[in-house]
Amino acid sequence: MQVDESSPLRVVQGDQTYWFCSEHCRGVFRDRLAHGESIASILGHDHSSHDHSSMAEHSAKTAAGAASSKSPDQRIYYCPMDEGVEQIGPGHCPICGMALVPRLTPGDDTAEDNAELSDMSRRFWVGVALGAPLVLWDMLGMLGLATETWISPATSNWVEFLLATPIVFWAGWPFLARGARSVVSRRLNMFTLIAMGVIAAYGYSLVELIASLVVPHGHDGLSAGGHLYFESAATITVLVLLGQVLELRARGQTTAAIRELFSLAPPVARRIAGDREVEVPLSQVAPGDLLRVRPGDKVPVDGAVIEGASTIDESMITGESMPVSKAAGDPVIGGTINQSGAFVMRAERVGDQTVLAQIVRLVAAAQMSRAPIQKVADRVSAIFVPAVVAIAVLTFLIWLAVGSEPRLAVALERAVSVLIIACPCALGLATPMSITVGVGRGARSGVLIRNAAVVELMEQSRVLVIDKTGTLTEGRPKVVEISPIDGANRDEVLRLAAAVARPSGHPLSRAIVAAAEERKIALPLTDAFESTAGGGVSGMVEGQPIRLGDQRFVESEGQSVPAPLLEQAETLRRQGRTVTFVRAGQRTIGLLAIADPIRESSRAAIDALHALGLKIVMLTGDNETTARVVAQTLGIDEFKSGLRPQEKHDEVARLRAQGQVVAMAGDGVNDAPALAEADIGIAMGTGSDVAIETADVTLLHGDLRGIVRAFLLSRAVMHNVRQNLFLAFVYDIIGIPIAAGVLYPVFGLVLRPAFAALAMSLSSVSVVTNALRLRHVRLD
């Protein structure tokens, strides 16, 4: 059995995961398992000794998410502030007390879950209706109006009690309940401080009110207008509710990026069945189905065009604003928008296999992850609440000893202000909110980030390692010259080269096969095919061994390449061509020159990366001459050529050994060892061809502009995180001393509990609002 100590709600037993509503449930379950009791027996047990649901109601059958809960809402809910806190169905975090939020998945309804917001809004408006007369009455007294001529002080006190009581114990009940749970579970949090402050103000006032019945004339001046804090307790509650309402509304906007992604997929598809077209729900589309997509329609699933042509707006998936032309054989991505023409497509990936579903899963997972910088806030939060309670007690004792009369009332007011203003909610929200919004913003621009740690690492990186083919170049190489030798002809050289290249998926091999197909050359079968990473391919064609690759590869068995071919190869390389030699049997019969044009966007992207302070290092398996031409053309700082996959890995390791945080971008095939070694692996590609599930960063549009966006995003997010942490700390560093009354001896300035509650609420709202600015950050 594996117990996840980071979560009080989860136990893993083999391939089964069990979810619980409390640590007590989990503890009982774990202990009974350890004593040999069967799971069936445990789950059938009625835990009537406490007020939690039975454990059977909180078990999940498998990691796939199937749940056996009696609750109609079987989604997994998690805490955005405390990693690892999850459960089936809604509830509250046992650590921070915040309401759990649902984990969004591709199958969810896109309607925003607002049950918590509705409840808090209802309590807020009831609190406002009851609290407004209290505040108005208090303001009249502060203005010096003789309110005792309208209503007796005793009657006024009881009216305050009658109005404040439902505000505190009904409208503010969620805060009191969460505060009580925090004390019982010994996990002190923001609601501990709120509950202590409200109960202290209300309790003191209630004791004074009751005492006035016993000593109706003159008890501490109560009968003459006295020092009651019913109004403060009620106002604190209403203002905290206001803060919760504003925060919940803002937090709802942080998931807007995922909800936008959900809305990309159309609800239905037009499936071709014989001579008819039938509209079917998207869930009924299967791989192999033929679907018609008309102008203005959204592409329903991932697939390929088999008839017709069009242009497609892929901006919501890739971030690229220019429409992409599509013809027969071209891939299309579900959720993109067909613009100019109608076409028929074949469905290939449906449901959870589509690019859109993978993106949603990746973004949702990243939004729940935590950046290393969050550990700073965690360490502070761990000691913060006990420290604030201690400061509040010290404040109370000091004002009780040296404060003005009535000392007890004044000391209580100062202590309550300290408790209320110091709530650490803003500190806990600072990092998660920025990560949530930032990762969503990246997804809208075709930059998919695996987790929050990657965002922080990218911001620290000053070295970018890149591959050449498909990253700096178009990735669509073409044979531009065929040079035979010793009596061989061009078609024969190309025929043998294409035959041995056909089983390979390398871009250069595909270019050679495409050239043979253009010339309508029939290709023989290849036996004993072998591919050597970073070298070439070999096999038996028509009974003779054929080797196709670089000079080192074709000479590996002792046969040298003729000097005339080497001279010609060097000339071609100086033109930026890639040269591959063809050996048949014991002799080299020719070479193929392959051109892969540099992307038009590469130079501007390299300049932008340099402006961000990045050193660009190109690692390529191509020869030195070709690599130098590309590096000089683009202004690349450093390059290494003729590298095998292991050598690329070693170069990345060397850079890291120098203390550099290294990001690497490549195609994920020959570059796999180096990508794994780098601190940040960036997968270049488009649509469904990219390995979305494995890369640290995935760029849905495979050129350097996506890398620029990724680095700009990481810096914007981390800058926002630091702003939020600064806001959270500044509120407390400034607010706590003022609330304690340190400015009173010099300026006569104090902070009443109601204003402390307002400042506390504004701190949380300001952090979330600041994070929402990332939704509109420029990444160009």
Side-chain angles (χ1 to χ4, degrees):
M1 179 181 66
Q2 174 189 349
V3 179
D4 184 355
E5 296 296 347
S6 67
S7 170
L9 306 171
R10 180 168 55 196
V11 170
V12 178
Q13 171 83 356
D15 63 351
Q16 305 286 311
T17 300
Y18 300 92
W19 303 86
F20 302 92
C21 62
S22 70
E23 291 178 274
H24 178 78
C25 281
R26 187 187 75 163
V28 172
F29 180 87
R30 182 178 57 185
D31 292 344
R32 292 176 66 179
L33 266 182
H35 285 84
E37 192 168 348
S38 71
I39 292 176
S41 172
I42 299 172
L43 295 183
H45 182 77
D46 179 17
H47 293 269
S48 56
S49 61
H50 55 82
D51 61 355
H52 300 298
S53 303
S54 72
M55 284 187 259
E57 294 179 18
H58 295 275
S59 66
K61 291 184 178 180
T62 66
S68 59
S69 171
K70 293 179 182 178
S71 170
D73 189 348
Q74 297 186 9
R75 291 177 295 177
I76 294 177
Y77 282 68
Y78 73 98
C79 178
M81 289 173 57
D82 297 287
E83 190 175 28
V85 176
E86 300 173 334
Q87 73 176 48
I88 301 295
H92 299 96
C93 175
I95 298 175
C96 70
M98 298 293 292
L100 303 180
V101 296
R103 179 189 295 171
L104 300 178
T105 61
D108 277 350
D109 184 356
T110 61
E112 185 174 341
D113 187 287
N114 59 3
E116 178 78 3
L117 176 59
S118 297
D119 180 59
M120 288 295 180
S121 298
R122 182 168 58 252
R123 293 176 186 274
F124 168 71
W125 288 113
V126 171
V128 168
L130 295 174
L134 277 174
V135 174
L136 179 61
W137 192 254
D138 186 64
M139 290 178 62
L140 291 175
M142 292 173 62
L143 293 173
L145 298 178
T147 55
E148 64 274 9
T149 61
W150 306 343
I151 185 173
S152 70
T155 303
S156 173
N157 294 336
W158 283 103
V159 170
E160 286 189 28
F161 164 75
L162 292 174
L163 290 173
T165 299
I167 296 176
V168 170
F169 290 102
W170 182 81
W173 180 251
F175 308 143
L176 301 181
R178 296 176 200 178
R181 280 198 298 268
S182 72
V183 174
V184 172
S185 65
R186 298 180 182 178
R187 295 181 180 272
L188 305 184
N189 55 48
M190 63 172 286
F191 295 106
T192 315
L193 302 181
I194 293 172
M196 288 177 65
V198 170
I199 290 300
Y202 181 88
Y204 172 83
S205 302
L206 183 61
V207 170
E208 285 281 9
L209 185 61
I210 294 173
S212 70
L213 298 177
V214 179
V215 188
H217 300 289
H219 177 74
D220 202 17
L222 184 59
S223 61
H227 299 279
L228 296 184
Y229 292 98
F230 288 125
E231 175 266 338
S232 293
T235 305
I236 290 169
T237 302
V238 172
L239 289 173
V240 172
L241 282 167
L242 173 62
Q244 289 287 292
V245 169
L246 295 175
E247 183 183 314
L248 287 167
R249 284 181 178 172
R251 282 169 57 186
Q253 295 177 47
T254 63
T255 59
I258 294 186
R259 297 187 187 280
E260 284 180 19
L261 291 172
F262 285 154
S263 67
L264 290 181
V268 296
R270 292 184 176 86
R271 185 165 60 194
I272 299 174
D275 296 333
R276 299 183 302 115
E277 289 182 18
V278 181
E279 280 197 354
V280 297
L282 205 61
S283 59
Q284 295 182 15
V285 176
D289 283 352
L290 298 183
L291 310 173
R292 186 176 300 281
V293 183
R294 301 186 304 196
D297 286 352
K298 291 180 178 179
V299 178
V301 296
D302 296 358
V305 177
I306 63 170
E307 178 185 312
S310 184
T311 56
I312 293 182
D313 178 3
E314 297 183 341
S315 59
M316 283 300 292
I317 294 290
T318 66
E320 289 298 316
S321 58
M322 291 298 293
V324 181
S325 297
K326 300 289 182 179
D330 289 336
V332 289
I333 307 172
T336 55
I337 302 173
N338 182 32
Q339 289 193 325
S340 59
F343 62 87
V344 176
M345 62 172 288
R346 178 184 292 107
E348 293 177 351
R349 293 181 177 88
V350 302
D352 288 344
Q353 302 305 311
T354 64
V355 169
L356 180 58
Q358 293 178 60
I359 292 172
V360 170
R361 283 198 300 271
L362 186 65
V363 173
Q367 289 183 331
M368 288 187 292
S369 64
R370 292 158 70 83
I373 197 173
Q374 178 66 20
K375 293 178 182 177
V376 176
D378 291 343
R379 285 194 293 268
V380 173
S381 297
I383 62 173
F384 188 80
V385 175
V388 169
V389 173
I391 293 171
V393 171
L394 182 62
T395 299
F396 177 82
L397 294 175
I398 292 174
W399 280 92
L400 188 62
V402 301
S404 58
E405 294 294 341
R407 290 185 181 179
L408 180 61
V410 171
L412 177 69
E413 186 175 271
R414 300 286 78 75
V416 168
S417 294
V418 169
L419 290 172
I420 296 301
I421 202 170
C423 290
C425 180
L427 191 61
L429 289 171
T431 300
M433 290 299 101
S434 296
I435 295 297
T436 297
V437 180
V439 168
R441 174 65 182 92
R444 282 167 38 212
S445 295
V447 178
L448 306 182
I449 297 176
R450 174 157 295 278
N451 56 50
V454 173
V455 178
E456 188 166 340
L457 275 175
M458 285 197 75
E459 195 243 1
Q460 299 169 5
S461 177
R462 293 297 178 269
V463 176
L464 173 64
V465 175
I466 51 178
D467 181 39
K468 178 177 73 69
T469 303
T471 304
L472 297 170
T473 62
E474 293 285 353
R476 293 190 292 270
K478 184 175 182 180
V479 175
V480 294
E481 188 166 337
I482 305 169
S483 295
I485 197 172
D486 292 341
N489 62 61
R490 285 182 172 81
D491 285 355
E492 180 65 9
V493 171
L494 181 59
R495 187 178 76 91
L496 295 175
V500 76
R502 184 163 55 179
S504 170
H506 193 279
L508 298 183
S509 296
R510 290 198 296 267
I512 294 170
V513 173
E517 290 175 346
E518 279 184 19
R519 298 188 180 210
K520 296 183 168 42
I521 297 174
L523 301 182
L525 295 177
T526 299
D527 297 319
F529 172 81
E530 289 185 9
S531 176
T532 302
V537 293
S538 62
M540 298 295 294
V541 180
E542 296 176 337
Q544 66 175 331
I546 304 296
R547 293 178 78 81
L548 174 70
D550 60 21
Q551 180 181 350
R552 182 168 47 176
F553 180 72
V554 298
E555 291 182 341
S556 59
E557 295 182 351
Q559 294 83 7
S560 61
V561 176
L565 274 185
L566 292 178
E567 292 174 4
Q568 186 177 6
E570 188 63 21
T571 300
L572 291 167
R573 287 168 183 152
R574 284 195 292 268
Q575 300 171 10
R577 310 292 195 236
T578 297
V579 175
T580 183
F581 297 96
V582 184
R583 197 183 87 196
Q586 302 302 311
R587 66 192 184 97
T588 302
I589 62 172
L591 63 76
L592 304 174
I594 301 171
D596 187 8
I598 295 174
R599 292 179 186 268
E600 292 183 6
S601 60
S602 290
R603 180 68 207 216
I606 292 291
D607 290 342
L609 291 167
H610 278 147
L612 291 173
L614 287 161
K615 175 183 178 182
I616 312 298
V617 179
M618 183 178 74
L619 302 182
T620 178
D622 214 335
N623 64 87
E624 182 177 356
T625 304
T626 303
R628 187 180 302 278
V629 170
V630 173
Q632 290 177 345
T633 302
L634 296 177
I636 289 172
D637 301 296
E638 182 181 323
F639 74 91
K640 295 291 180 67
S641 59
L643 299 180
R644 302 288 176 91
Q646 182 60 43
E647 292 169 327
K648 289 185 179 182
H649 169 277
D650 295 342
E651 284 296 320
V652 172
R654 180 183 64 82
L655 290 168
R656 293 188 66 203
Q658 296 173 358
Q660 305 277 7
V661 177
V662 179
M664 177 170 181
D667 60 14
V669 183
N670 292 334
D671 301 315
L675 285 168
E677 175 63 22
D679 295 288
I680 307 115
I682 304 174
M684 308 289 295
T686 54
S688 57
D689 295 330
V690 75
I692 293 175
E693 299 290 351
T694 57
D696 294 319
V697 179
T698 298
L699 306 177
L700 293 180
H701 195 275
D703 66 21
L704 289 185
R705 287 174 296 181
I707 299 180
V708 176
R709 292 191 189 104
F711 276 99
L712 285 171
L713 177 67
S714 71
R715 297 185 182 193
V717 170
M718 294 311 300
H719 184 63
N720 194 269
V721 166
R722 293 187 183 97
Q723 287 175 336
N724 278 348
L725 289 173
F726 175 79
L727 286 172
F729 280 120
V730 163
Y731 267 109
D732 291 331
I733 291 172
I734 296 176
I736 292 175
I738 293 176
V742 297
L743 298 182
Y744 182 77
V746 179
F747 301 103
L749 178 64
V750 294
L751 193 65
R752 298 189 64 189
F755 291 107
L758 180 61
M760 182 274 296
S761 296
L762 289 176
S763 68
S764 299
V765 173
S766 65
V767 162
V768 179
T769 303
N770 186 55
L772 286 172
R773 294 191 307 111
L774 288 170
R775 294 177 63 186
H776 308 291
V777 67
R778 289 181 59 86
L779 299 180
D780 297 324

